[in-house]
Coordinates of all heavy atoms in Angstrom, one line a residue:
Chain N
Y35 N 6.3 -0.1 4.5 CA 5.9 -1.3 3.8 C 7.1 -1.7 3.0 O 7.9 -0.9 2.5 CB 4.8 -1.0 2.9 CG 3.4 -0.7 3.6 CD1 3.1 0.6 4.1 CD2 2.5 -1.7 3.7 CE1 1.9 0.9 4.7 CE2 1.2 -1.4 4.4 CZ 1.0 -0.1 4.9 OH -0.2 0.2 5.5
Q37 N 7.9 -3.8 -0.4 CA 7.2 -4.4 -1.7 C 8.2 -5.1 -2.6 O 9.1 -4.4 -3.1 CB 6.5 -3.2 -2.5 CG 5.8 -3.8 -3.7 CD 4.9 -2.8 -4.4 OE1 5.3 -1.6 -4.3 NE2 3.9 -3.2 -5.0
G40 N 6.8 -7.6 -8.1 CA 5.6 -8.4 -8.5 C 4.6 -8.7 -7.4 O 3.7 -9.5 -7.5
Q41 N 4.9 -8.2 -6.1 CA 4.1 -8.4 -5.0 C 3.4 -7.1 -4.5 O 3.8 -6.0 -5.0 CB 4.9 -9.0 -3.9 CG 5.7 -10.3 -4.2 CD 4.8 -11.4 -4.4 OE1 3.8 -11.7 -3.7 NE2 5.0 -12.2 -5.5
G42 N 2.4 -7.3 -3.7 CA 1.8 -6.1 -3.0 C 2.7 -5.7 -1.9 O 3.5 -6.4 -1.4
P43 N 2.5 -4.5 -1.4 CA 3.3 -4.0 -0.2 C 2.9 -4.8 1.0 O 1.8 -5.2 1.2 CB 2.8 -2.6 -0.1 CG 2.3 -2.1 -1.4 CD 1.7 -3.4 -2.0
F45 N 3.1 -4.9 5.2 CA 3.3 -3.9 6.4 C 4.4 -4.4 7.2 O 4.5 -5.5 7.7 CB 1.9 -4.0 7.1 CG 2.0 -3.1 8.4 CD1 1.7 -1.8 8.3 CD2 2.1 -3.8 9.6 CE1 1.7 -1.0 9.5 CE2 2.1 -3.0 10.8 CZ 1.9 -1.7 10.7
Q48 N 4.3 0.6 12.2 CA 3.7 1.9 12.2 C 4.2 2.7 13.4 O 4.3 2.1 14.5 CB 2.1 1.8 12.2 CG 1.5 3.1 12.2 CD 0.0 2.9 12.4 OE1 -0.6 2.7 13.5 NE2 -0.8 3.0 11.3
Q56 N 2.3 -0.7 15.9 CA 1.9 -2.0 15.3 C 3.1 -2.5 14.6 O 4.0 -1.7 14.1 CB 0.8 -1.8 14.3 CG -0.5 -1.4 14.9 CD -1.6 -1.6 13.8 OE1 -2.1 -2.6 13.6 NE2 -1.9 -0.4 13.1
R57 N 3.1 -3.8 14.5 CA 4.3 -4.4 13.7 C 3.7 -5.6 12.9 O 2.9 -6.4 13.4 CB 5.3 -4.9 14.7 CG 6.6 -5.3 14.0 CD 7.6 -5.8 15.1 NE 8.9 -6.1 14.4 CZ 9.9 -5.3 14.1 NH1 9.8 -4.0 14.6 NH2 11.0 -5.7 13.5
G58 N 4.3 -5.7 11.8 CA 3.9 -6.9 10.9 C 4.9 -8.0 11.2 O 5.6 -8.0 12.1
L88 N 11.4 -2.6 -2.8 CA 11.0 -1.3 -2.7 C 10.4 -0.9 -1.4 O 9.5 -1.7 -1.0 CB 9.9 -0.9 -3.8 CG 9.5 0.5 -3.9 CD1 10.6 1.5 -4.4 CD2 8.3 0.6 -4.9
L90 N 8.5 1.4 1.0 CA 7.5 2.5 0.9 C 7.2 3.0 2.3 O 6.9 2.3 3.3 CB 6.2 2.0 0.3 CG 6.3 1.5 -1.1 CD1 5.2 0.7 -1.6 CD2 6.5 2.7 -2.1
S94 N -0.3 9.4 7.5 CA -1.7 9.6 7.7 C -1.8 10.5 8.9 O -0.9 10.7 9.7 CB -2.5 8.3 7.9 OG -2.0 7.6 9.0
T97 N -4.3 7.5 13.8 CA -4.2 6.0 13.5 C -5.5 5.4 13.3 O -5.7 4.2 13.2 CB -3.6 5.2 14.7 OG1 -4.3 5.5 15.9 CG2 -2.2 5.7 14.9
S98 N -6.5 6.3 13.1 CA -7.9 5.8 12.8 C -7.9 5.0 11.5 O -7.2 5.3 10.5 CB -8.9 7.0 12.7 OG -10.1 6.5 12.1
S99 N -8.7 4.0 11.5 CA -8.8 3.0 10.4 C -9.3 3.7 9.1 O -8.9 3.2 8.1 CB -9.8 1.9 10.7 OG -9.3 1.2 11.8
Y100 N -10.0 4.8 9.2 CA -10.6 5.4 8.0 C -9.7 6.6 7.4 O -10.1 7.3 6.5 CB -12.0 5.9 8.3 CG -12.9 4.7 8.7 CD1 -13.1 4.4 10.0 CD2 -13.5 3.9 7.7 CE1 -14.0 3.4 10.4 CE2 -14.3 2.9 8.1 CZ -14.6 2.6 9.4 OH -15.3 1.5 9.7
N101 N -8.6 6.8 8.0 CA -7.8 7.9 7.5 C -7.0 7.4 6.3 O -6.3 6.4 6.3 CB -6.8 8.4 8.6 CG -7.5 9.1 9.7 OD1 -8.6 9.5 9.5 ND2 -6.9 9.1 10.8
E102 N -7.1 8.2 5.2 CA -6.3 7.9 4.0 C -4.9 7.9 4.2 O -4.4 8.8 4.9 CB -6.8 8.9 2.9 CG -6.0 8.7 1.6 CD -6.4 9.8 0.6 OE1 -7.4 10.4 0.8 OE2 -5.7 9.9 -0.4
Q103 N -4.1 7.0 3.7 CA -2.7 6.9 3.7 C -2.1 7.5 2.4 O -2.6 7.1 1.3 CB -2.2 5.5 4.0 CG -2.6 5.0 5.3 CD -1.8 3.7 5.7 OE1 -0.6 3.7 5.6 NE2 -2.5 2.7 6.1
F105 N 1.2 7.7 0.2 CA 2.5 6.9 0.0 C 3.5 7.8 -0.6 O 3.3 8.6 -1.5 CB 2.3 5.6 -0.8 CG 1.7 4.5 -0.1 CD1 0.4 4.5 0.1 CD2 2.5 3.5 0.4 CE1 -0.2 3.4 0.7 CE2 1.9 2.4 1.0 CZ 0.6 2.3 1.2
G106 N 4.8 7.6 -0.2 CA 5.9 8.2 -0.9 C 6.3 7.4 -2.1 O 5.8 6.4 -2.4
P107 N 7.3 7.9 -2.8 CA 7.8 7.3 -4.0 C 8.5 5.9 -3.7 O 8.8 5.2 -4.7 CB 8.6 8.3 -4.8 CG 9.2 9.1 -3.6 CD 8.1 9.2 -2.6
Chain Y
A31 N -13.2 -3.7 8.0 CA -14.2 -2.7 8.2 C -14.3 -1.9 6.9 O -15.3 -1.2 6.6 CB -13.8 -1.8 9.3
Y32 N -13.2 -1.9 6.1 CA -13.2 -1.2 4.8 C -12.3 -1.8 3.9 O -11.4 -2.6 4.3 CB -13.0 0.3 5.0 CG -11.6 0.6 5.5 CD1 -10.5 0.6 4.7 CD2 -11.4 1.0 6.9 CE1 -9.2 0.9 5.2 CE2 -10.2 1.2 7.4 CZ -9.1 1.2 6.5 OH -7.8 1.5 7.0
Q34 N -9.9 -0.6 0.3 CA -9.3 0.5 -0.5 C -8.8 0.0 -1.8 O -8.3 -1.2 -2.0 CB -8.2 1.2 0.2 CG -8.6 1.8 1.6 CD -7.5 2.6 2.2 OE1 -6.4 2.8 1.6 NE2 -7.7 3.0 3.4
Y36 N -5.9 1.1 -4.8 CA -4.8 2.1 -5.1 C -4.4 1.9 -6.5 O -4.5 0.7 -7.1 CB -3.6 1.8 -4.2 CG -3.8 2.2 -2.8 CD1 -4.5 1.5 -1.8 CD2 -3.2 3.4 -2.4 CE1 -4.7 1.9 -0.6 CE2 -3.3 3.8 -1.0 CZ -4.1 3.1 -0.2 OH -4.2 3.5 1.1
Q38 N -0.8 2.0 -8.9 CA 0.6 2.1 -8.8 C 1.2 2.0 -10.2 O 1.0 1.1 -11.0 CB 1.2 1.0 -7.9 CG 2.6 1.1 -7.7 CD 3.2 0.1 -6.7 OE1 2.6 -0.9 -6.5 NE2 4.3 0.5 -6.0
G41 N 7.8 1.7 -10.5 CA 8.8 2.4 -9.7 C 8.2 3.5 -8.9 O 9.0 4.3 -8.3
R42 N 6.9 3.6 -8.7 CA 6.4 4.6 -7.9 C 5.6 4.1 -6.7 O 5.2 2.9 -6.7 CB 5.4 5.5 -8.7 CG 5.9 6.0 -10.1 CD 7.0 7.0 -9.8 NE 6.5 8.2 -9.2 CZ 6.0 9.3 -9.9 NH1 5.9 9.2 -11.2 NH2 5.6 10.4 -9.2
G43 N 5.2 4.9 -5.7 CA 4.4 4.4 -4.7 C 2.9 4.3 -5.1 O 2.5 5.0 -6.0
P44 N 2.2 3.6 -4.4 CA 0.7 3.5 -4.6 C 0.1 4.8 -4.4 O 0.4 5.6 -3.5 CB 0.2 2.5 -3.7 CG 1.4 1.7 -3.2 CD 2.5 2.7 -3.3
F46 N -3.7 6.5 -3.6 CA -5.1 6.2 -3.1 C -6.1 6.6 -4.1 O -6.1 7.7 -4.7 CB -5.4 6.8 -1.8 CG -6.7 6.8 -1.3 CD1 -7.2 5.6 -0.7 CD2 -7.6 7.8 -1.6 CE1 -8.5 5.5 -0.2 CE2 -8.9 7.7 -1.1 CZ -9.4 6.5 -0.4
L49 N -12.1 4.5 -1.2 CA -12.3 3.6 0.0 C -13.7 3.3 0.1 O -14.6 4.2 -0.1 CB -11.9 4.4 1.2 CG -12.0 3.7 2.6 CD1 -11.0 4.2 3.6 CD2 -13.4 3.9 3.2
R51 N -16.6 1.3 2.7 CA -16.8 0.7 3.9 C -17.7 -0.5 3.9 O -18.4 -0.7 2.9 CB -17.4 1.8 4.9 CG -16.6 3.0 5.0 CD -17.1 4.0 6.0 NE -16.3 5.2 6.0 CZ -16.2 6.1 6.9 NH1 -16.9 5.8 8.1 NH2 -15.5 7.2 6.8
E52 N -17.7 -1.3 5.0 CA -18.4 -2.5 4.9 C -19.9 -2.4 4.8 O -20.6 -3.3 4.3 CB -18.1 -3.3 6.2 CG -18.5 -2.7 7.5 CD -18.1 -3.4 8.7 OE1 -18.0 -4.6 8.7 OE2 -17.9 -2.9 9.8
L89 N -4.1 -2.1 -7.1 CA -4.0 -2.8 -5.8 C -5.3 -2.7 -5.0 O -5.7 -1.6 -4.8 CB -2.8 -2.4 -5.0 CG -1.4 -2.4 -5.6 CD1 -0.5 -1.4 -5.0 CD2 -0.9 -3.9 -5.5
E93 N -8.3 -3.2 5.4 CA -8.0 -2.8 6.8 C -7.8 -4.1 7.6 O -8.6 -5.0 7.5 CB -9.1 -2.0 7.3 CG -8.9 -1.5 8.8 CD -9.7 -2.5 9.7 OE1 -10.5 -3.3 9.3 OE2 -9.4 -2.4 10.9
R94 N -6.8 -4.1 8.4 CA -6.5 -5.3 9.2 C -6.3 -4.9 10.7 O -5.4 -4.2 10.9 CB -5.3 -6.0 8.6 CG -4.9 -7.3 9.3 CD -3.7 -7.9 8.6 NE -3.3 -9.1 9.4 CZ -2.3 -9.8 9.0 NH1 -1.5 -9.5 8.0 NH2 -2.0 -10.9 9.8
N95 N -7.1 -5.4 11.5 CA -6.9 -5.2 12.9 C -7.0 -3.8 13.4 O -6.5 -3.4 14.4 CB -5.5 -5.8 13.4 CG -5.4 -7.2 13.1 OD1 -6.4 -7.9 13.0 ND2 -4.2 -7.7 13.0
G96 N -7.7 -2.9 12.6 CA -7.8 -1.6 13.0 C -6.5 -0.7 12.9 O -5.5 -1.3 12.4
N97 N -6.5 0.4 13.3 CA -5.3 1.3 13.3 C -4.6 1.4 11.9 O -3.4 1.6 11.9 CB -4.3 0.7 14.3 CG -4.8 0.9 15.8 OD1 -5.5 1.9 16.0 ND2 -4.4 0.1 16.6
N98 N -5.4 1.5 10.9 CA -4.9 1.8 9.6 C -3.9 0.9 9.1 O -3.0 1.3 8.3 CB -4.4 3.2 9.6 CG -4.9 4.0 8.4 OD1 -5.7 3.5 7.6 ND2 -4.5 5.2 8.3
R99 N -3.8 -0.3 9.6 CA -2.9 -1.3 9.1 C -3.5 -2.0 7.8 O -4.6 -2.6 8.0 CB -2.5 -2.3 10.1 CG -1.6 -3.4 9.7 CD -1.3 -4.3 10.9 NE -0.6 -5.5 10.5 CZ -0.1 -6.4 11.3 NH1 -0.2 -6.2 12.6 NH2 0.4 -7.5 10.9
L100 N -2.8 -1.9 6.7 CA -3.4 -2.4 5.4 C -2.7 -3.7 5.0 O -1.5 -3.8 5.1 CB -3.2 -1.4 4.3 CG -4.0 0.0 4.5 CD1 -3.7 0.9 3.4 CD2 -5.5 -0.3 4.6
F102 N -2.3 -5.8 1.6 CA -2.5 -5.6 0.1 C -2.5 -6.9 -0.7 O -1.9 -7.9 -0.3 CB -1.3 -4.8 -0.5 CG -1.4 -3.4 -0.2 CD1 -0.9 -2.8 1.0 CD2 -1.9 -2.5 -1.1 CE1 -0.9 -1.5 1.3 CE2 -2.0 -1.1 -0.8 CZ -1.4 -0.6 0.4
G103 N -3.3 -6.9 -1.8 CA -3.1 -7.9 -2.8 C -2.0 -7.7 -3.7 O -1.3 -6.7 -3.4
K104 N -1.7 -8.6 -4.6 CA -0.5 -8.5 -5.4 C -0.7 -7.4 -6.5 O 0.3 -7.0 -7.1 CB -0.1 -9.8 -6.0 CG 0.3 -10.9 -5.1 CD 0.8 -12.1 -5.9 CE 1.3 -13.2 -4.9 NZ 1.7 -14.4 -5.6

Side-chain angles (χ1 to χ4, degrees):
Chain N
Y35 293 82
Q37 186 175 25
Q41 303 293 315
F45 177 81
Q48 181 187 77
Q56 297 191 78
R57 189 178 183 91
L88 181 68
L90 297 162
S94 59
T97 59
S98 169
S99 297
Y100 298 97
N101 291 336
E102 178 183 341
Q103 293 193 50
F105 282 82
Chain Y
Y32 63 81
Q34 299 183 8
Y36 287 80
Q38 188 172 26
R42 309 290 296 272
F46 172 81
L49 179 153
R51 302 184 185 205
E52 59 181 335
L89 298 156
E93 174 265 348
R94 181 178 177 182
N95 299 338
N97 291 330
N98 226 3
R99 174 176 170 174
L100 296 176
F102 283 85
K104 290 184 179 181

